[in-house]
Amino acid sequence: MSPAPSRPPRLRAVFPVASRAEARRIGEILRKETIGGILLVTFAAVALVWANSPWADSYFALRDTEIGYEPWHLKLPLGDWAADGLLAIFFFLVGLELKREFVAGDLRSARTAVVPVVAAIGGVAVPALLYLAVVGASADEASGWAIPTATDIAFAVAVLALVGSHLPGALRIFLLTLAVVDDLIAIAIIAVFYTDSIDLVPLLLALLTIAVYGVIAQLSRRLFHARPAAAWLILLPIGFVAWALMHASGIHATIAGVLLGFTIPVLHKRADRADDAGPGLAELFEHRFRPLSAGFAVPVFAFFSAGVAIGGVDGLASAAADPVLVGIVVGLVLGKPLGITAATWLVTRIRRIDLDPALRWIDIAGVGVLAGIGFTVSLLVTELSFAAGSGQADHGKVAVLTASVIAALAATMLLGARNRRYRRAARSAGDPAAEMDRASGN
């Protein structure tokens, strides 16, 4: 009797238990993003109420007020300053996080990177296809195909932090890594598909300025480590010039923020690497500037972007009948979890990779539901897809807000139930932290 064929060895688990340093970093991000997510929702709610109040004219007058220097083509409405300018701060942090993940994080290894990368691709492709299936690939509304492909990391992580105190650390790392890759895809989509024309001279000057910025950041790591004000006095003016030139080139100016973030060094110079060297410059900048992004830039953008005049019951009925709204809601609420879960299942089967032993597929599905919170980037893509003030643009924004709320509530229920199960399991195992939770009434 011939021996049974041996089963091919499986690779190591996806996102095994993280190191203490990585766990502390993830926890720090979770705490900051919780506050940022609350501010984001608050500012968006204020804008929505104001835009539908008897004083709506004052809101739109404020949003359309133009300021800036006309000779440099920078006399823009406040709404555009928020979308093009303030969001560049958000995308600068995205650039920092992307580089850190590729240089020193989970994406530096092909074995751990393949799953979140494929999951993010699935979470982009399926919502886009569902949107096109609803509106029709040849219709005018098809230009909004990218709206349901984005994930708002601030909002999503805020929800996870509020309901996921006992969820496995591997699940949190999976969400963050997935969102980072999702942001990278969104950046590529904005740069490639939402650029009508390119002026090469400003673009080349912008790239040259970014290169100068990077050289200074690389050569002056110790200075920027020791003196926080030096970044404001030296790097900020250069970064603003790069942003203005990118804006003049025709490419969306937020791309400048990403490229500037890519230039910041992640690791110390070889001579400075020691156990007590502290965090690298990219991590230090992320720590310093994230409050500016989460506490000001993104909420202000949400305030100027989320203000949509719904028009009462008739307006809601009109929006609900618009294929744009249906396509976005279907893409975010159904397409995101379907694409992420299916892509994760497929790649783990093909590559013979096990999930972390602490995870279940329902947890992955919960992250997929959570990723359906589009908000910031989806609102930005809505503004890039349709003419400002058009019915499609307004309906698109209503759809993004509606889908994000539905996804947040659904994820809260699903992951909240999973969190309670993990908490009971921890108590049964005699986890001291769970005992402290029980004593405090949590």
Side-chain angles (χ1 to χ4, degrees):
M1 181 176 180
S2 60
S6 60
R7 186 178 181 183
R10 301 181 73 90
L11 300 177
R12 62 178 179 172
V14 180
F15 296 115
V17 178
S19 65
R20 289 184 179 180
E22 182 75 359
R24 283 197 299 269
R25 190 179 75 83
I26 298 300
E28 184 70 13
I29 291 176
L30 288 172
R31 285 190 291 272
K32 292 177 182 176
E33 295 291 3
T34 303
I35 301 301
I38 294 172
L39 289 174
L40 181 67
V41 173
T42 301
F43 275 63
V46 169
L48 194 59
V49 171
W50 191 355
N52 290 276
S53 72
W55 306 278
D57 290 344
S58 61
Y59 169 81
F60 294 108
L62 176 64
R63 188 189 66 183
D64 297 334
T65 299
E66 293 187 348
I67 60 172
Y69 190 54
E70 179 63 34
W72 290 357
H73 305 288
L74 290 177
K75 188 173 183 180
L76 305 171
L78 289 177
D80 287 356
W81 275 110
D84 294 353
L86 290 180
L87 271 197
I89 302 172
F90 167 79
F91 278 101
F92 174 74
L93 289 171
V94 170
L96 291 176
E97 183 65 19
L98 277 169
K99 184 172 182 180
R100 189 184 186 285
E101 287 296 330
F102 281 112
V103 172
D106 291 300
L107 293 179
R108 73 186 185 277
S109 168
R111 286 185 173 182
T112 55
V114 64
V115 175
V117 168
V118 173
I121 292 173
V124 168
V126 173
L129 292 173
L130 287 178
Y131 177 88
L132 292 174
V134 171
V135 305
S138 61
D140 293 338
E141 294 86 350
S143 60
W145 65 270
I147 297 172
T149 64
T151 294
D152 190 302
I153 185 172
F155 205 156
V157 173
V159 173
L160 185 65
L162 290 172
V163 304
S165 59
H166 286 76
L167 292 175
L171 190 66
R172 303 181 184 189
I173 295 174
F174 179 71
L175 172 63
L176 285 172
T177 312
L178 170 72
V180 165
V181 179
D182 189 283
D183 283 339
L184 179 60
I185 297 174
I187 291 162
I189 289 173
I190 292 171
V192 174
F193 295 99
Y194 292 96
T195 299
D196 295 327
S197 61
I198 298 177
D199 193 332
L200 287 178
V201 174
L203 176 59
L204 293 175
L205 290 174
L207 295 176
L208 178 61
T209 306
I210 292 170
V212 171
Y213 180 99
V215 169
I216 294 174
Q218 294 284 343
L219 296 179
S220 305
R221 304 182 201 193
R222 291 184 180 180
L223 173 65
F224 297 129
H225 257 279
R227 298 183 181 275
W232 297 98
L233 297 175
I234 299 174
L235 293 181
L236 180 60
I238 301 173
F240 177 79
V241 172
W243 173 87
L245 289 169
M246 188 68 72
H247 182 275
S249 74
I251 296 177
H252 199 268
T254 53
I255 302 300
V258 180
L259 296 178
L260 290 169
F262 280 159
T263 68
I264 303 300
V266 172
L267 305 175
H268 292 281
K269 292 180 180 178
R270 189 177 301 275
D272 296 334
R273 292 178 191 175
D275 293 339
D276 59 349
L281 193 58
E283 187 175 353
L284 191 65
F285 275 15
E286 183 184 345
H287 180 78
R288 288 176 182 172
F289 300 139
R290 188 171 293 279
L292 178 62
S293 173
F296 178 73
V298 175
V300 170
F301 164 76
F303 173 78
F304 284 115
S305 185
V308 179
I310 296 175
V313 176
D314 292 338
L316 285 174
S318 174
D322 190 340
V324 168
L325 183 142
V326 178
I328 293 172
V329 173
V330 169
L332 284 171
V333 176
L334 298 180
K336 274 290 186 181
L338 178 61
I340 290 171
T341 306
T344 304
W345 182 87
L346 188 63
V347 72
T348 54
R349 291 299 177 270
I350 293 175
R351 295 294 300 271
R352 299 184 180 278
I353 303 173
D354 283 319
L355 289 177
D356 186 282
L359 295 179
R360 298 293 181 270
W361 281 105
I362 188 65
D363 301 325
I364 301 297
V367 167
V369 174
L370 195 58
I373 302 175
F375 223 89
T376 304
V377 181
S378 290
L379 288 174
L380 174 62
V381 176
T382 302
E383 295 186 353
L384 297 175
S385 301
F386 304 118
S390 66
Q392 293 171 332
D394 289 344
H395 294 168
K397 291 182 178 181
V398 172
V400 170
L401 297 175
T402 302
S404 296
V405 170
I406 293 173
L409 293 175
T412 297
M413 290 188 290
L414 177 56
L415 292 176
R418 295 298 298 165
N419 187 69
R420 289 191 292 273
R421 181 162 185 165
Y422 281 114
R423 182 167 53 192
R424 288 195 298 268
R427 286 176 177 172
S428 299
D431 185 354
E435 295 300 328
M436 291 178 63
D437 280 347
R438 179 161 53 186
S440 62
N442 293 332

